[in-house]
Amino acid sequence: MTAAQQRRNSPHMPAPTSADAQPDSGPILVKVGRTIVRIYPRAAERGRQSGFHVSSYATGKRRLIWFTDLQQAKAEAQRIAARMNAGDHLGASMTGKDQSAYLRATELVAPFDLDVGTVCELFAKSAQLVGAENVVAACKAFAKRSPASREHLPLSKAVDDYIASKASKGRSDRHLDDLRSRLARFVTDHPGAALADVSTANLQSWIDKLKREDGNPLSPQSRRNFAVVVGAMLNHHRRRGSIIDNPAVDLEREKVRSTDAIEFWTPDEAEALLRVCPIVALPALAIGLFAGLRTAEIARLRWQDVDLDQRHITVSAENAKTASRRLVPMTDNLLEWLLPFRADPKALVYPEHATTLSKRITEAAEAAGVRRLANGARHSFCTYRTAITGDVARTAAEAGNSVGVQHAHYRGLASADDAARFFGICPVVLDNVVMMPARIA
């Protein structure tokens, strides 16, 4: 065996001479155990400098790895041979660059207690769903929507902030009281919950289980009212970034059908009510019957809103249920009912507490032997006014209704003759009222 052959067969021999690196000198053999890796010297050609190819079969197929430095080539051949001799074909197939990438990957996944193979599998599954280039963007979007990344805003605090916001925008006391009542029930039924904890599923379940004080389920309209209020509160916080989505958006849309026909008083019943109504509530009842104001609107009405000279009643936006100002014309008979009661412009038309007005009308109905109807005065006005004018849109504007509601609920229920009798009820003979001359304000 020549000296050159001995050097090629031993990886521990000194660096080869220039003769060893000649193409015609044959491959340089690097042996570890029973594994041999060959290094082939290559002469310079076609603009490429001379160098060495390390021949690796670690993957089962021949792979040539290029080096310009023989020592680097021998170091790589030594590494491949040692790995293959130990049975680590995957490790043997890795280049130095591959090894660096693997070590870097190991460092990156270490905080998550996962091996590189598991991480690669998770990435591959994610890439199949959204595309490799979108994996990071998808993760960012998920993190942004994750409850864990949101501010832990207690539900009670979220409700208080919402009501305070509405109060600062000048919403009426009646509107604020309604919000407080409904949202307080929502908070009470979700003790210790945070705003981010509210989901479509638990919100739907809560609405479905709502009951009245007597234990019976709420009506579809009442359930819808709760859903609207809670949904508006959630939407308020969505716009301010406290939550990403409003879970109320996907609630079931419960169809509300009016199964009961509108009930209203006959002209005789209305006149009987007026004759026995307590004096303190008489102007309020007359306004309900002949101007169609809602009970809550009447309770907030002051005499300065009742223009007996111009013959109209102003329902301010603050006092109106629809938050829209309207002028209601005063019929001839309503003017006669109100003239004796003209008072201090700043005084309330109904001077007692608002909650007692319905009670007063109930007492009058019992005394007169008349049916007690919910919203009977307003329903009577809307019905007879539509009949006497024949103009649904005009009556809707006066009553503060939509044209659709007015048309659906009040059109065609009364005759023009009955309407004329109704608006002809005047205070000619009253059993409990002494008519006084009108006081000029």
Side-chain angles (χ1 to χ4, degrees):
M1 179 181 293
T2 65
Q5 289 173 328
Q6 291 176 347
R7 284 194 296 271
R8 285 198 299 270
N9 290 334
S10 174
H12 305 294
M13 296 294 288
T17 64
S18 58
D20 294 323
Q22 296 304 314
D24 58 357
S25 62
I28 302 169
L29 306 181
V30 176
K31 184 177 181 180
V32 177
R34 300 179 63 181
T35 303
I36 297 175
V37 177
R38 290 173 172 80
I39 303 174
Y40 295 95
R42 292 289 183 258
E45 60 178 6
R46 296 179 182 177
R48 185 183 70 180
Q49 67 183 98
S50 62
F52 307 89
H53 270 136
V54 177
S55 179
S56 171
Y57 286 87
T59 61
K61 295 182 180 180
R62 188 186 186 198
R63 180 186 179 196
L64 296 176
I65 307 171
W66 176 257
F67 293 92
T68 57
D69 182 81
L70 181 57
Q71 292 302 324
Q72 292 179 359
K74 290 182 69 175
E76 179 65 9
Q78 174 75 19
R79 185 190 68 80
I80 294 172
R83 291 280 189 178
M84 291 184 68
N85 191 64
D88 184 6
H89 289 266
L90 178 60
S93 68
M94 297 174 65
T95 65
K97 186 180 294 184
D98 293 335
Q99 293 180 67
S100 298
Y102 181 80
L103 292 173
R104 174 63 176 154
T106 303
E107 293 174 358
L108 290 172
V109 303
F112 306 102
D113 196 26
L114 296 171
D115 60 79
V116 174
T118 301
V119 172
C120 290
E121 183 180 357
L122 292 173
F123 177 82
K125 290 180 178 179
S126 302
Q128 287 177 348
L129 294 173
V130 299
E133 70 280 4
N134 297 322
V135 169
V136 174
C139 290
K140 287 181 177 179
F142 175 81
K144 187 177 180 182
R145 292 176 177 272
S146 172
S149 65
R150 312 304 303 167
E151 176 189 2
H152 186 82
L153 183 64
L155 190 58
S156 57
K157 177 69 163 55
V159 166
D160 290 343
D161 290 349
Y162 172 66
I163 293 175
S165 174
K166 292 301 179 184
S168 69
K169 292 178 172 61
R171 296 301 172 89
S172 69
D173 291 340
R174 178 176 178 272
H175 180 71
L176 295 176
D177 287 343
D178 182 65
L179 295 182
R180 291 189 187 97
S181 174
R182 296 183 191 279
L183 294 174
R185 186 168 179 178
F186 183 57
V187 172
T188 300
D189 291 346
H190 296 82
L195 182 66
D197 295 334
V198 180
S199 66
T200 301
N202 62 38
L203 183 54
Q204 183 69 61
S205 176
W206 177 74
I207 290 173
D208 290 343
K209 295 176 181 177
L210 285 172
K211 296 184 182 298
R212 301 184 320 205
E213 292 182 359
D214 60 8
N216 291 318
L218 287 183
S219 68
Q221 182 62 60
S222 294
R223 288 196 295 272
R224 176 185 282 186
N225 292 341
F226 271 98
V228 168
V229 170
V230 176
M233 184 273 293
L234 293 169
N235 214 36
H236 167 87
H237 287 288
R238 180 194 63 78
R239 288 192 292 266
R240 285 153 182 78
S242 299
I243 52 176
I244 293 298
D245 296 314
N246 181 355
V249 170
D250 294 324
L251 289 175
E252 294 177 2
R253 294 293 185 268
E254 190 166 12
K255 196 165 186 179
V256 177
R257 289 189 175 94
S258 179
T259 57
D260 297 327
I262 291 295
E263 292 188 294
F264 54 95
W265 286 309
T266 66
D268 290 340
E269 288 175 324
E271 185 171 4
L273 273 174
L274 289 165
R275 288 184 179 278
V276 301
C277 183
I279 294 177
V280 69
L282 188 56
L285 176 59
I287 289 173
L289 285 168
F290 305 124
L293 270 65
R294 298 174 176 89
T295 301
E297 293 171 341
I298 296 171
R300 293 191 290 269
L301 197 68
R302 298 184 183 276
W303 282 105
Q304 63 190 13
D305 303 316
V306 181
D307 193 330
L308 298 174
D309 298 319
Q310 298 299 319
R311 297 184 56 169
H312 64 250
I313 297 173
T314 302
V315 182
S316 66
E318 181 181 1
N319 292 339
K321 177 184 178 181
T322 58
S324 179
R325 180 178 180 272
R326 71 182 191 273
L327 292 180
V328 183
M330 195 177 298
T331 58
D332 292 341
N333 69 326
L334 177 57
L335 178 63
E336 292 187 36
W337 283 104
L338 296 181
L339 277 173
F341 297 96
R342 184 185 297 202
D344 181 351
K346 294 183 179 180
L348 289 168
V349 171
Y350 180 67
E352 296 184 340
H353 194 278
T355 58
T356 65
L357 180 54
S358 293
K359 182 180 179 181
R360 290 285 193 179
I361 296 175
T362 296
E363 292 171 350
E366 292 175 352
V370 171
R371 297 170 296 158
R372 178 64 179 103
L373 303 179
N375 299 311
R378 177 173 169 80
H379 288 331
S380 298
F381 169 82
C382 292
T383 299
Y384 292 121
R385 188 67 170 167
T386 301
I388 202 168
T389 65
D391 190 334
V392 171
R394 172 183 169 184
T395 306
E398 294 174 355
N401 278 334
S402 69
V403 174
V405 167
Q406 192 68 33
H407 188 280
H409 295 289
Y410 301 107
R411 181 173 176 270
L413 298 183
S415 67
D417 288 343
D418 283 342
R421 285 180 57 212
F422 179 80
F423 287 105
I425 300 173
C426 295
V428 179
V429 179
L430 296 176
D431 298 334
N432 62 343
V433 175
V434 177
M435 300 299 294
M436 300 293 292
R439 183 176 65 83
I440 304 301

